[in-house]
Amino acid sequence: MTTYMVIIPDDYDAWEAMTPAQRAAVYSEHDVFSERLQAGGHEITGGAELTLPRTARTVRSGPDGVTVTDGPYAESVEQLSGFYLIESTDLADLEQCCALLATHSPVEIRRVGRAVEDPDPNENNDDDNNKETES
């Protein structure tokens, strides 16, 4: 199985402006999403809803030391509102499941792993050893 992160952005101003009933309807969409994942053979292994971006702390480190500021790293209307970690063998079906959550804003799916796979230093990666020797 492959682990994927489903990244959910949201407009927090719009979220805060919703009535409790409207927010409950969004949570119901997540319940349907979870049921659809299970029916498709996917497994939720983690995830969380995040607090409002204004509660974030951004930490930077540089030659002048550490700086901590209030607020999110990126200033934009849409901020990360939550995520799921999902084990799956069927990316195409996972994409269809995520469409259930993409009615308000796009949902991003990423495979969990290294961004760039470096060669294993313990393996012999010398191309010359892989070529046939000429006689």
Side-chain angles (χ1 to χ4, degrees), residues 3 18 24 35 37 48 50-51 71 75 95 108 110 122-123 125 131:
T3 303
M18 287 182 176
E35 291 167 5
L37 286 171
L50 301 176
T51 59
E75 295 292 333
E95 292 166 346
E108 182 176 337
R110 285 198 207 178
N122 297 320
E123 290 183 14
N125 292 316
K131 294 179 184 174

Side-chain angles (χ1 to χ4, degrees), residues 72-91:
Y73 168 73
E75 295 292 333
S76 68
V77 173
E78 290 185 339
Q79 294 284 336
L80 179 61
S81 65
F83 67 95
Y84 288 94
L85 292 173
I86 299 172
E87 293 282 333
S88 178
T89 58
D90 188 346
L91 178 57

Side-chain angles (χ1 to χ4, degrees), residues 119-131:
D120 184 341
N122 297 320
E123 290 183 14
N124 186 351
N125 292 316
D126 185 5
D127 286 338
D128 291 335
N129 289 337
N130 296 327
K131 294 179 184 174

Side-chain angles (χ1 to χ4, degrees), residues 10-18 52 54 77:
D10 210 344
D11 177 344
Y12 276 98
D13 291 335
W15 179 251
E16 287 185 290
M18 287 182 176
L52 297 170
R54 67 175 166 263
V77 173

